[in-house]
Amino acid sequence: MPKFEAMERETFVEAARRHGISADLAAGLFDDLYSPVPASPLERQTSRFAEQTRLTRTVQVLVWLGTLLLIGAHAWWSTQGYEALGIGIVLGLTLTWQVGFLVAAEWARRRGVVVLEAGFAAIVAFYTPLTAYAIERALGFDFRANDFEDFYPYVSGGWVWMELASIGAAALLLLRYRRPFLALPLTLFTGFLAMDAGSRALDGWQHERSVEQAVLATGVAMLAAAIVLDYLGWRRFAFWPHLASVWLVAWGLDWPCGGNHALTLFVASAVALTAGIWLARMTHLAVGGLFGWGAIATSAHGAAFPFLLMVGGLVFVGFAIWLAKANSPIRRGLASRTLPAPQRDLAY
């Protein structure tokens, strides 16, 4: 393979521009040399979504929409299906679907149809909690209120085994298929486990501060793992741990901030914005902006609210203009920032 295989597209385009080659021409040249066009819209796309053909974009959107609908369907089976059909039939159906989608994921993997491979494997991962729950119910385990729905609003202390089984299945699927989307169920179930195991180990939600400490520690650990992945070049795999860390850290910060929600949002905003600038993560920048807006909204009262927003908006716009114009150390530092490491997971 050419020695420029790992070069970032933006770096190539910028270098070409300095030699008098237009950005559009340089981008097309880079794609021709280092990003061969896939034979099928179902194959992994290395070009940006906006640069793909309408057929490719439509196919990928439909596949992921269908995947999300199939994942969401388990909610009906977990809340209504077992009451209508019985937990034994629900268990049998869930296992049948998991085996079927696992076979489909293997079929897609052997043929290199990576979009379907990732989607089918994710369905298997997201159905694992229902399988574990159905097995526990069939064995006579008692859950609070005897209702699967109870897990989501309250995260009761009786779900830890279901979460452990789900984390194990998600980890095995990620190791087998190596698709970034499979990091979503793994990080999501880990976040739920932090709440549930914290509640279980600390005698329930009457010790909410202790549970928040456990959640915060998990969020910080997940953020650290995501940063390590960024510096190893596994940027697409790091996206989901980053997203989960935002949720967990923001929740856990309520403890050191003493329950002051405005202060919690300000601190969460600062953390997210710092990480976004440092790691070139648009997700963190967007979430940091939302947290900042929420902090201002929480702090302001009555007629002061719109004026506070106006002042804040003017300050940010003014700072942006200064940053763009003034030859300051901050400007030079930001201009020289690149990705933490060359991205090596574009083919996944």
Side-chain angles (χ1 to χ4, degrees), residues 1-6 33-36:
M1 295 297 290
K3 65 179 181 180
F4 299 113
E5 181 180 22
L33 290 174
Y34 309 117
S35 302

Side-chain angles (χ1 to χ4, degrees), residues 30-46:
F30 183 92
D31 290 339
D32 287 344
L33 290 174
Y34 309 117
S35 302
V37 178
S40 166
L42 292 172
E43 295 183 14
R44 169 78 186 120
Q45 307 294 316
T46 56

Side-chain angles (χ1 to χ4, degrees), residues 25 207 213 230 254 340:
L25 182 60
H207 299 93
Q213 292 170 11
D230 273 331
D254 199 50

Side-chain angles (χ1 to χ4, degrees), residues 130-196:
L130 177 55
T131 298
Y133 169 75
I135 290 174
E136 289 181 293
R137 282 291 305 277
L139 292 175
F141 279 64
D142 185 32
F143 291 83
R144 189 175 72 181
N146 246 5
D147 193 343
F148 187 91
E149 281 183 310
D150 188 50
F151 171 70
Y152 291 100
Y154 305 114
V155 196
S156 65
W159 299 86
V160 65
W161 303 114
M162 182 178 69
E163 293 153 359
L164 288 171
S166 302
I167 290 171
L172 290 174
L173 289 165
L174 181 59
L175 288 173
R176 172 60 176 168
Y177 297 104
R178 304 293 180 90
R179 299 299 164 195
F181 186 66
L182 293 174
L184 169 59
L186 180 60
T187 55
L188 182 65
F189 299 147
T190 301
F192 279 133
L193 179 64
M195 302 172 207
D196 193 5

Side-chain angles (χ1 to χ4, degrees), residues 30-300:
F30 183 92
D31 290 339
D32 287 344
L33 290 174
Y34 309 117
S35 302
V37 178
S40 166
L42 292 172
E43 295 183 14
R44 169 78 186 120
Q45 307 294 316
T46 56
S47 58
R48 291 186 178 88
F49 186 77
E51 297 168 348
Q52 298 167 11
T53 66
R54 291 182 181 179
L55 172 63
T56 299
R57 291 197 297 264
T58 302
V59 167
Q60 292 201 55
V61 168
L62 290 175
V63 167
W64 287 114
L65 177 60
T67 298
L68 293 175
L69 290 175
L70 287 165
I71 290 172
H74 91 289
W76 186 89
W77 292 105
S78 59
T79 56
Q80 305 296 329
Y82 75 83
E83 294 178 354
L85 301 176
I87 198 66
I89 294 178
V90 170
L91 174 59
L93 287 173
T94 307
L95 287 172
T96 300
W97 288 328
Q98 282 193 292
V99 171
F101 282 116
L102 187 61
V103 171
E106 282 295 311
W107 171 86
R109 182 175 185 270
R110 294 175 186 276
R111 286 159 178 77
V113 188
V114 298
V115 176
L116 293 180
E117 175 189 342
F120 291 151
I123 293 169
V124 177
F126 276 104
Y127 270 70
T128 302
L130 177 55
T131 298
Y133 169 75
I135 290 174
E136 289 181 293
R137 282 291 305 277
L139 292 175
F141 279 64
D142 185 32
F143 291 83
R144 189 175 72 181
N146 246 5
D147 193 343
F148 187 91
E149 281 183 310
D150 188 50
F151 171 70
Y152 291 100
Y154 305 114
V155 196
S156 65
W159 299 86
V160 65
W161 303 114
M162 182 178 69
E163 293 153 359
L164 288 171
S166 302
I167 290 171
L172 290 174
L173 289 165
L174 181 59
L175 288 173
R176 172 60 176 168
Y177 297 104
R178 304 293 180 90
R179 299 299 164 195
F181 186 66
L182 293 174
L184 169 59
L186 180 60
T187 55
L188 182 65
F189 299 147
T190 301
F192 279 133
L193 179 64
M195 302 172 207
D196 193 5
S199 173
R200 188 183 184 92
L202 300 169
D203 297 323
W205 284 95
Q206 61 268 31
H207 299 93
E208 185 174 352
R209 286 289 177 263
S210 298
V211 177
E212 287 174 347
Q213 292 170 11
V215 171
L216 179 60
T218 303
V220 171
M222 199 168 291
L223 177 60
I227 292 173
V228 170
L229 288 173
D230 273 331
Y231 273 88
L232 291 175
W234 298 98
R235 190 170 177 83
R236 298 184 70 239
F237 286 88
F239 173 78
W240 297 109
H242 271 299
L243 194 62
S245 70
V246 168
W247 156 49
L248 294 169
V249 170
W251 188 355
L253 280 174
D254 199 50
W255 157 63
C257 294
N260 186 323
H261 298 309
L263 179 59
T264 298
L265 288 171
F266 272 121
V267 175
S269 175
V271 171
L273 291 173
T274 301
I277 294 171
W278 170 27
L279 302 168
R281 283 280 174 188
M282 286 301 298
T283 301
H284 285 305
L285 293 176
V287 171
L290 290 174
F291 282 157
W293 190 94
I296 294 173
T298 304
S299 302

